[in-house]
Each structure stands twice: as C-alpha cells, then as structure tokens.
Amino acid sequence: MKKTQNVTIKGTKDGIVLHLNDQCSYQALKAELEQKLLAQSVDEEENSPILAVKIQLGNRYLTPAQEEEIKSLVRARRNLVVDKIISNVITKEAAAREKVENEIVPVTTIVRSGQVLKAEGDLLLVGNVNPGGTVIANGNIFIMGNLRGIAHAGYSGRRDAVVVASNMVPSQIRIADCLNRAPDDYGKEDRHEMECAYIDESDHIIIDKLQVLKTLRPNMTRLKGGFSYG
C-alpha cells in the first residue's frame, strides 16, 4: 500500500510551493517537512539562488507558534525564504474584520467644513461634501452629490479603491498613499457628469468618466444589482 505523502514540494517559475497535508497530525507533518528539507539541502550549493516559498495549508489552521515553527524549518535552508502561508481557514476575529471591511455603509447627510465621515468598508454617501469637509473609507467612496472637500479612499493601503462623485470638484483626493491636489480652477465649474478617481499604472490618481471602471474595476462594488456605469 502506497504511503500518503504529507509534504509535496513543487518547483515553479516563481519559486517553490509546499503543499502540506491537512488530514495528518501536526507532529507528523512537521517531522516529514523537516526530513524532506534536510534531504534537499544535501544537494544545495553554496551560491544557490534565493527561492521564494509559498506554503499551502489547505483546510489546516496553524497557531502563530506553529506557523513560526514551519517558517523556521524552511529558513534553515539558506537559499529559501517564506513568501506567504495560505490557508482556507481563518479565525473568528479575521472573519469579523473581513465582514466589516466588506460592508457598504450608506449615509444620507451633508459633510460640512470641519466634519469627518469615516467608514471601515465602502462608503455610499447620499449628499454633499462641502469645502473643508472630509470623507474617509477603507474601501471605495461613492458620493451621490457634490464632492468639494477631501475624499480619502483605501486609507489602510487598498490601492484598488476608487472615489466616485456625481459632481467631482474636490479640494483633495487621496487613494491609499497617493495624493491628488485640486487644480488651479478648482470650484469654478460644475461638471454635472459622474466621474471617478483611481490609481493608474504610473501610480498617479486619474479622474475620468465613470464608464472606465467597467474595464478597470469590473467587480468593484457589492451593491445589490451592481453599479450603473451609464
């Protein structure tokens, strides 16, 4: 009878993938991983190139201490570095955080000068952002009204976030760590056409017609029925 392998090592163009069996005990898994890594290190040359390692856990959950043990076994080989550990299982805390970050927060109000409106997920504002007012969201910002103040989308680092407004005349737009200040003619004209702001391939914030999002961010929103691009 063929023995089940608890550890499978596969080479890819991007490095190495370790597939770890999620049905065996952790101790059996750890022992086999150590043995296989040790066997491979026999053929390791002194000037071997550094290889990134992705560790696939499947439906196994590792405690932080166990994760560190697995990482240490991999790092024991001088040409291997752990790129990421991927698991289908997440903690209740992580699931709750992900739920909050993926929620759409609908608000009907006017954000006046000196006021700050903040959302952990996507923000859907039915109202205006006046000069001096600020709206902040970890996800996307949709404003069904005038944006004349400051909008900061993707504040925790989400560079795929966007800002959409019915009338886009902001004093400042920020997406993740990118900043776009208002043009010299800021506030002199109403555009009367829904526009969007996003980070382009050159790491600049671009303001364009809403229709471009159909190509750039086809799965951008979780609004029921989808978001109309016109």
PDB file of all heavy atoms in Angstrom, residues 91-121:
ATOM      1  N   THR A  91      -9.483  32.811  11.455  1.00  0.00           N
ATOM      2  CA  THR A  91     -10.022  32.915  12.810  1.00  0.00           C
ATOM      3  C   THR A  91     -11.339  33.694  12.792  1.00  0.00           C
ATOM      4  O   THR A  91     -11.667  34.386  11.823  1.00  0.00           O
ATOM      5  CB  THR A  91      -9.034  33.638  13.738  1.00  0.00           C
ATOM      6  OG1 THR A  91      -8.857  34.984  13.259  1.00  0.00           O
ATOM      7  CG2 THR A  91      -7.685  32.923  13.755  1.00  0.00           C
ATOM      8  N   LYS A  92     -12.089  33.570  13.883  1.00  0.00           N
ATOM      9  CA  LYS A  92     -13.337  34.325  14.004  1.00  0.00           C
ATOM     10  C   LYS A  92     -13.057  35.825  13.955  1.00  0.00           C
ATOM     11  O   LYS A  92     -13.829  36.595  13.375  1.00  0.00           O
ATOM     12  CB  LYS A  92     -14.037  33.980  15.320  1.00  0.00           C
ATOM     13  CG  LYS A  92     -14.630  32.569  15.364  1.00  0.00           C
ATOM     14  CD  LYS A  92     -15.337  32.331  16.678  1.00  0.00           C
ATOM     15  CE  LYS A  92     -15.962  30.941  16.723  1.00  0.00           C
ATOM     16  NZ  LYS A  92     -16.645  30.675  18.012  1.00  0.00           N
ATOM     17  N   GLU A  93     -11.950  36.239  14.565  1.00  0.00           N
ATOM     18  CA  GLU A  93     -11.595  37.664  14.572  1.00  0.00           C
ATOM     19  C   GLU A  93     -11.323  38.160  13.164  1.00  0.00           C
ATOM     20  O   GLU A  93     -11.771  39.240  12.761  1.00  0.00           O
ATOM     21  CB  GLU A  93     -10.364  37.902  15.461  1.00  0.00           C
ATOM     22  CG  GLU A  93     -10.598  37.693  16.942  1.00  0.00           C
ATOM     23  CD  GLU A  93     -10.596  36.218  17.340  1.00  0.00           C
ATOM     24  OE1 GLU A  93     -10.255  35.363  16.486  1.00  0.00           O
ATOM     25  OE2 GLU A  93     -10.942  35.922  18.500  1.00  0.00           O
ATOM     26  N   ALA A  94     -10.574  37.347  12.376  1.00  0.00           N
ATOM     27  CA  ALA A  94     -10.264  37.736  10.997  1.00  0.00           C
ATOM     28  C   ALA A  94     -11.524  37.770  10.147  1.00  0.00           C
ATOM     29  O   ALA A  94     -11.698  38.650   9.298  1.00  0.00           O
ATOM     30  CB  ALA A  94      -9.248  36.769  10.400  1.00  0.00           C
ATOM     31  N   ALA A  95     -12.427  36.801  10.382  1.00  0.00           N
ATOM     32  CA  ALA A  95     -13.685  36.762   9.624  1.00  0.00           C
ATOM     33  C   ALA A  95     -14.539  37.988   9.938  1.00  0.00           C
ATOM     34  O   ALA A  95     -15.145  38.587   9.038  1.00  0.00           O
ATOM     35  CB  ALA A  95     -14.447  35.482   9.941  1.00  0.00           C
ATOM     36  N   ALA A  96     -14.587  38.357  11.215  1.00  0.00           N
ATOM     37  CA  ALA A  96     -15.371  39.529  11.619  1.00  0.00           C
ATOM     38  C   ALA A  96     -14.783  40.797  11.022  1.00  0.00           C
ATOM     39  O   ALA A  96     -15.507  41.682  10.554  1.00  0.00           O
ATOM     40  CB  ALA A  96     -15.412  39.633  13.138  1.00  0.00           C
ATOM     41  N   ARG A  97     -13.444  40.880  11.018  1.00  0.00           N
ATOM     42  CA  ARG A  97     -12.783  42.056  10.443  1.00  0.00           C
ATOM     43  C   ARG A  97     -13.034  42.153   8.936  1.00  0.00           C
ATOM     44  O   ARG A  97     -13.296  43.219   8.397  1.00  0.00           O
ATOM     45  CB  ARG A  97     -11.279  41.985  10.728  1.00  0.00           C
ATOM     46  CG  ARG A  97     -10.513  43.220  10.256  1.00  0.00           C
ATOM     47  CD  ARG A  97      -9.080  43.207  10.758  1.00  0.00           C
ATOM     48  NE  ARG A  97      -8.345  42.061  10.274  1.00  0.00           N
ATOM     49  CZ  ARG A  97      -7.978  41.030  11.026  1.00  0.00           C
ATOM     50  NH1 ARG A  97      -8.303  41.000  12.312  1.00  0.00           N
ATOM     51  NH2 ARG A  97      -7.287  40.017  10.515  1.00  0.00           N
ATOM     52  N   GLU A  98     -12.978  41.001   8.264  1.00  0.00           N
ATOM     53  CA  GLU A  98     -13.223  40.970   6.819  1.00  0.00           C
ATOM     54  C   GLU A  98     -14.661  41.381   6.502  1.00  0.00           C
ATOM     55  O   GLU A  98     -14.915  42.078   5.512  1.00  0.00           O
ATOM     56  CB  GLU A  98     -12.936  39.568   6.279  1.00  0.00           C
ATOM     57  CG  GLU A  98     -13.061  39.447   4.766  1.00  0.00           C
ATOM     58  CD  GLU A  98     -12.633  38.086   4.269  1.00  0.00           C
ATOM     59  OE1 GLU A  98     -11.505  37.658   4.579  1.00  0.00           O
ATOM     60  OE2 GLU A  98     -13.451  37.440   3.565  1.00  0.00           O
ATOM     61  N   LYS A  99     -15.600  40.956   7.354  1.00  0.00           N
ATOM     62  CA  LYS A  99     -17.005  41.321   7.148  1.00  0.00           C
ATOM     63  C   LYS A  99     -17.189  42.831   7.245  1.00  0.00           C
ATOM     64  O   LYS A  99     -17.880  43.445   6.422  1.00  0.00           O
ATOM     65  CB  LYS A  99     -17.886  40.611   8.179  1.00  0.00           C
ATOM     66  CG  LYS A  99     -19.380  40.902   8.044  1.00  0.00           C
ATOM     67  CD  LYS A  99     -20.172  40.116   9.068  1.00  0.00           C
ATOM     68  CE  LYS A  99     -21.674  40.348   8.903  1.00  0.00           C
ATOM     69  NZ  LYS A  99     -22.048  41.750   9.186  1.00  0.00           N
ATOM     70  N   VAL A 100     -16.565  43.424   8.255  1.00  0.00           N
ATOM     71  CA  VAL A 100     -16.675  44.870   8.436  1.00  0.00           C
ATOM     72  C   VAL A 100     -16.063  45.610   7.257  1.00  0.00           C
ATOM     73  O   VAL A 100     -16.630  46.578   6.736  1.00  0.00           O
ATOM     74  CB  VAL A 100     -15.986  45.295   9.752  1.00  0.00           C
ATOM     75  CG1 VAL A 100     -15.855  46.815   9.820  1.00  0.00           C
ATOM     76  CG2 VAL A 100     -16.766  44.785  10.953  1.00  0.00           C
ATOM     77  N   GLU A 101     -14.890  45.142   6.804  1.00  0.00           N
ATOM     78  CA  GLU A 101     -14.184  45.815   5.717  1.00  0.00           C
ATOM     79  C   GLU A 101     -14.920  45.691   4.391  1.00  0.00           C
ATOM     80  O   GLU A 101     -14.692  46.482   3.478  1.00  0.00           O
ATOM     81  CB  GLU A 101     -12.765  45.252   5.598  1.00  0.00           C
ATOM     82  CG  GLU A 101     -11.875  45.629   6.765  1.00  0.00           C
ATOM     83  CD  GLU A 101     -10.499  44.989   6.689  1.00  0.00           C
ATOM     84  OE1 GLU A 101     -10.294  44.142   5.782  1.00  0.00           O
ATOM     85  OE2 GLU A 101      -9.631  45.339   7.503  1.00  0.00           O
ATOM     86  N   ASN A 102     -15.792  44.673   4.253  1.00  0.00           N
ATOM     87  CA  ASN A 102     -16.518  44.463   3.002  1.00  0.00           C
ATOM     88  C   ASN A 102     -17.943  45.013   3.038  1.00  0.00           C
ATOM     89  O   ASN A 102     -18.678  44.872   2.072  1.00  0.00           O
ATOM     90  CB  ASN A 102     -16.563  42.962   2.655  1.00  0.00           C
ATOM     91  CG  ASN A 102     -15.228  42.476   2.134  1.00  0.00           C
ATOM     92  OD1 ASN A 102     -14.548  43.175   1.396  1.00  0.00           O
ATOM     93  ND2 ASN A 102     -14.841  41.271   2.517  1.00  0.00           N
ATOM     94  N   GLU A 103     -18.304  45.625   4.143  1.00  0.00           N
ATOM     95  CA  GLU A 103     -19.643  46.193   4.259  1.00  0.00           C
ATOM     96  C   GLU A 103     -19.740  47.527   3.515  1.00  0.00           C
ATOM     97  O   GLU A 103     -18.762  48.260   3.402  1.00  0.00           O
ATOM     98  CB  GLU A 103     -20.013  46.415   5.726  1.00  0.00           C
ATOM     99  CG  GLU A 103     -20.444  45.165   6.456  1.00  0.00           C
ATOM    100  CD  GLU A 103     -20.855  45.462   7.877  1.00  0.00           C
ATOM    101  OE1 GLU A 103     -20.476  46.516   8.409  1.00  0.00           O
ATOM    102  OE2 GLU A 103     -21.554  44.625   8.467  1.00  0.00           O
ATOM    103  N   ILE A 104     -20.916  47.801   2.999  1.00  0.00           N
ATOM    104  CA  ILE A 104     -21.192  49.108   2.410  1.00  0.00           C
ATOM    105  C   ILE A 104     -21.978  49.921   3.428  1.00  0.00           C
ATOM    106  O   ILE A 104     -23.027  49.491   3.897  1.00  0.00           O
ATOM    107  CB  ILE A 104     -21.997  48.972   1.112  1.00  0.00           C
ATOM    108  CG1 ILE A 104     -21.192  48.185   0.073  1.00  0.00           C
ATOM    109  CG2 ILE A 104     -22.370  50.342   0.553  1.00  0.00           C
ATOM    110  CD1 ILE A 104     -21.969  47.828  -1.156  1.00  0.00           C
ATOM    111  N   VAL A 105     -21.431  51.073   3.785  1.00  0.00           N
ATOM    112  CA  VAL A 105     -22.071  51.931   4.789  1.00  0.00           C
ATOM    113  C   VAL A 105     -22.826  53.046   4.072  1.00  0.00           C
ATOM    114  O   VAL A 105     -22.211  53.955   3.497  1.00  0.00           O
ATOM    115  CB  VAL A 105     -21.022  52.530   5.738  1.00  0.00           C
ATOM    116  CG1 VAL A 105     -21.701  53.433   6.779  1.00  0.00           C
ATOM    117  CG2 VAL A 105     -20.218  51.429   6.422  1.00  0.00           C
ATOM    118  N   PRO A 106     -24.173  53.004   4.065  1.00  0.00           N
ATOM    119  CA  PRO A 106     -24.954  54.069   3.417  1.00  0.00           C
ATOM    120  C   PRO A 106     -25.237  55.195   4.417  1.00  0.00           C
ATOM    121  O   PRO A 106     -25.666  54.953   5.540  1.00  0.00           O
ATOM    122  CB  PRO A 106     -26.245  53.348   3.007  1.00  0.00           C
ATOM    123  CG  PRO A 106     -26.402  52.249   4.011  1.00  0.00           C
ATOM    124  CD  PRO A 106     -25.026  51.888   4.522  1.00  0.00           C
ATOM    125  N   VAL A 107     -24.984  56.430   3.993  1.00  0.00           N
ATOM    126  CA  VAL A 107     -25.217  57.585   4.862  1.00  0.00           C
ATOM    127  C   VAL A 107     -25.881  58.684   4.036  1.00  0.00           C
ATOM    128  O   VAL A 107     -25.449  58.967   2.912  1.00  0.00           O
ATOM    129  CB  VAL A 107     -23.894  58.127   5.455  1.00  0.00           C
ATOM    130  CG1 VAL A 107     -24.169  59.328   6.353  1.00  0.00           C
ATOM    131  CG2 VAL A 107     -23.155  57.044   6.226  1.00  0.00           C
ATOM    132  N   THR A 108     -26.921  59.276   4.598  1.00  0.00           N
ATOM    133  CA  THR A 108     -27.565  60.427   3.966  1.00  0.00           C
ATOM    134  C   THR A 108     -27.311  61.647   4.845  1.00  0.00           C
ATOM    135  O   THR A 108     -27.850  61.751   5.950  1.00  0.00           O
ATOM    136  CB  THR A 108     -29.079  60.209   3.806  1.00  0.00           C
ATOM    137  OG1 THR A 108     -29.304  59.038   3.009  1.00  0.00           O
ATOM    138  CG2 THR A 108     -29.730  61.404   3.127  1.00  0.00           C
ATOM    139  N   THR A 109     -26.460  62.534   4.366  1.00  0.00           N
ATOM    140  CA  THR A 109     -26.101  63.708   5.167  1.00  0.00           C
ATOM    141  C   THR A 109     -25.340  64.709   4.303  1.00  0.00           C
ATOM    142  O   THR A 109     -25.000  64.421   3.144  1.00  0.00           O
ATOM    143  CB  THR A 109     -25.243  63.312   6.383  1.00  0.00           C
ATOM    144  OG1 THR A 109     -25.110  64.443   7.255  1.00  0.00           O
ATOM    145  CG2 THR A 109     -23.853  62.880   5.949  1.00  0.00           C
ATOM    146  N   ILE A 110     -25.037  65.857   4.864  1.00  0.00           N
ATOM    147  CA  ILE A 110     -24.129  66.827   4.260  1.00  0.00           C
ATOM    148  C   ILE A 110     -22.913  66.918   5.169  1.00  0.00           C
ATOM    149  O   ILE A 110     -23.046  67.169   6.374  1.00  0.00           O
ATOM    150  CB  ILE A 110     -24.786  68.212   4.118  1.00  0.00           C
ATOM    151  CG1 ILE A 110     -25.960  68.140   3.153  1.00  0.00           C
ATOM    152  CG2 ILE A 110     -23.771  69.242   3.637  1.00  0.00           C
ATOM    153  CD1 ILE A 110     -26.751  69.438   3.048  1.00  0.00           C
ATOM    154  N   VAL A 111     -21.738  66.671   4.613  1.00  0.00           N
ATOM    155  CA  VAL A 111     -20.499  66.750   5.391  1.00  0.00           C
ATOM    156  C   VAL A 111     -19.984  68.179   5.267  1.00  0.00           C
ATOM    157  O   VAL A 111     -19.472  68.585   4.221  1.00  0.00           O
ATOM    158  CB  VAL A 111     -19.453  65.737   4.886  1.00  0.00           C
ATOM    159  CG1 VAL A 111     -18.197  65.813   5.752  1.00  0.00           C
ATOM    160  CG2 VAL A 111     -20.028  64.325   4.887  1.00  0.00           C
ATOM    161  N   ARG A 112     -20.123  68.910   6.344  1.00  0.00           N
ATOM    162  CA  ARG A 112     -19.771  70.342   6.323  1.00  0.00           C
ATOM    163  C   ARG A 112     -18.314  70.562   6.717  1.00  0.00           C
ATOM    164  O   ARG A 112     -17.624  69.646   7.136  1.00  0.00           O
ATOM    165  CB  ARG A 112     -20.717  71.115   7.243  1.00  0.00           C
ATOM    166  CG  ARG A 112     -22.169  71.083   6.776  1.00  0.00           C
ATOM    167  CD  ARG A 112     -23.084  71.861   7.696  1.00  0.00           C
ATOM    168  NE  ARG A 112     -24.426  72.030   7.108  1.00  0.00           N
ATOM    169  CZ  ARG A 112     -25.381  71.126   7.165  1.00  0.00           C
ATOM    170  NH1 ARG A 112     -25.169  69.962   7.801  1.00  0.00           N
ATOM    171  NH2 ARG A 112     -26.561  71.348   6.593  1.00  0.00           N
ATOM    172  N   SER A 113     -17.869  71.793   6.569  1.00  0.00           N
ATOM    173  CA  SER A 113     -16.492  72.156   6.886  1.00  0.00           C
ATOM    174  C   SER A 113     -16.146  71.764   8.323  1.00  0.00           C
ATOM    175  O   SER A 113     -16.909  72.060   9.253  1.00  0.00           O
ATOM    176  CB  SER A 113     -16.296  73.666   6.703  1.00  0.00           C
ATOM    177  OG  SER A 113     -14.971  74.037   7.025  1.00  0.00           O
ATOM    178  N   GLY A 114     -15.026  71.080   8.479  1.00  0.00           N
ATOM    179  CA  GLY A 114     -14.572  70.645   9.794  1.00  0.00           C
ATOM    180  C   GLY A 114     -15.087  69.286  10.208  1.00  0.00           C
ATOM    181  O   GLY A 114     -14.600  68.711  11.186  1.00  0.00           O
ATOM    182  N   GLN A 115     -16.056  68.735   9.471  1.00  0.00           N
ATOM    183  CA  GLN A 115     -16.606  67.425   9.806  1.00  0.00           C
ATOM    184  C   GLN A 115     -15.849  66.324   9.059  1.00  0.00           C
ATOM    185  O   GLN A 115     -15.366  66.521   7.951  1.00  0.00           O
ATOM    186  CB  GLN A 115     -18.091  67.347   9.448  1.00  0.00           C
ATOM    187  CG  GLN A 115     -18.967  68.274  10.269  1.00  0.00           C
ATOM    188  CD  GLN A 115     -20.437  68.149   9.906  1.00  0.00           C
ATOM    189  OE1 GLN A 115     -20.788  67.884   8.760  1.00  0.00           O
ATOM    190  NE2 GLN A 115     -21.316  68.350  10.883  1.00  0.00           N
ATOM    191  N   VAL A 116     -15.770  65.137   9.703  1.00  0.00           N
ATOM    192  CA  VAL A 116     -15.120  63.969   9.113  1.00  0.00           C
ATOM    193  C   VAL A 116     -16.076  62.792   9.187  1.00  0.00           C
ATOM    194  O   VAL A 116     -16.584  62.466  10.263  1.00  0.00           O
ATOM    195  CB  VAL A 116     -13.804  63.607   9.843  1.00  0.00           C
ATOM    196  CG1 VAL A 116     -13.179  62.358   9.228  1.00  0.00           C
ATOM    197  CG2 VAL A 116     -12.817  64.767   9.783  1.00  0.00           C
ATOM    198  N   LEU A 117     -16.338  62.164   8.057  1.00  0.00           N
ATOM    199  CA  LEU A 117     -17.187  60.978   7.991  1.00  0.00           C
ATOM    200  C   LEU A 117     -16.308  59.805   7.576  1.00  0.00           C
ATOM    201  O   LEU A 117     -15.640  59.862   6.541  1.00  0.00           O
ATOM    202  CB  LEU A 117     -18.312  61.184   6.979  1.00  0.00           C
ATOM    203  CG  LEU A 117     -19.260  60.004   6.746  1.00  0.00           C
ATOM    204  CD1 LEU A 117     -19.996  59.646   8.030  1.00  0.00           C
ATOM    205  CD2 LEU A 117     -20.253  60.336   5.634  1.00  0.00           C
ATOM    206  N   LYS A 118     -16.310  58.732   8.395  1.00  0.00           N
ATOM    207  CA  LYS A 118     -15.385  57.624   8.158  1.00  0.00           C
ATOM    208  C   LYS A 118     -16.129  56.297   8.131  1.00  0.00           C
ATOM    209  O   LYS A 118     -17.059  56.074   8.907  1.00  0.00           O
ATOM    210  CB  LYS A 118     -14.308  57.592   9.251  1.00  0.00           C
ATOM    211  CG  LYS A 118     -13.202  56.577   9.032  1.00  0.00           C
ATOM    212  CD  LYS A 118     -12.112  56.727  10.093  1.00  0.00           C
ATOM    213  CE  LYS A 118     -10.967  55.755   9.858  1.00  0.00           C
ATOM    214  NZ  LYS A 118      -9.898  55.907  10.885  1.00  0.00           N
ATOM    215  N   ALA A 119     -15.696  55.376   7.224  1.00  0.00           N
ATOM    216  CA  ALA A 119     -16.288  54.038   7.123  1.00  0.00           C
ATOM    217  C   ALA A 119     -15.179  53.006   6.988  1.00  0.00           C
ATOM    218  O   ALA A 119     -14.175  53.250   6.323  1.00  0.00           O
ATOM    219  CB  ALA A 119     -17.222  53.965   5.920  1.00  0.00           C
ATOM    220  N   GLU A 120     -15.375  51.841   7.622  1.00  0.00           N
ATOM    221  CA  GLU A 120     -14.383  50.775   7.545  1.00  0.00           C
ATOM    222  C   GLU A 120     -14.430  50.038   6.208  1.00  0.00           C
ATOM    223  O   GLU A 120     -13.431  49.500   5.754  1.00  0.00           O
ATOM    224  CB  GLU A 120     -14.594  49.777   8.688  1.00  0.00           C
ATOM    225  CG  GLU A 120     -14.261  50.324  10.059  1.00  0.00           C
ATOM    226  CD  GLU A 120     -12.808  50.739  10.174  1.00  0.00           C
ATOM    227  OE1 GLU A 120     -11.936  50.050   9.613  1.00  0.00           O
ATOM    228  OE2 GLU A 120     -12.541  51.770  10.814  1.00  0.00           O
ATOM    229  N   GLY A 121     -15.610  50.004   5.587  1.00  0.00           N
ATOM    230  CA  GLY A 121     -15.729  49.333   4.290  1.00  0.00           C
ATOM    231  C   GLY A 121     -15.904  50.353   3.188  1.00  0.00           C
ATOM    232  O   GLY A 121     -15.185  51.348   3.124  1.00  0.00           O
TER     233      GLY A 121
END
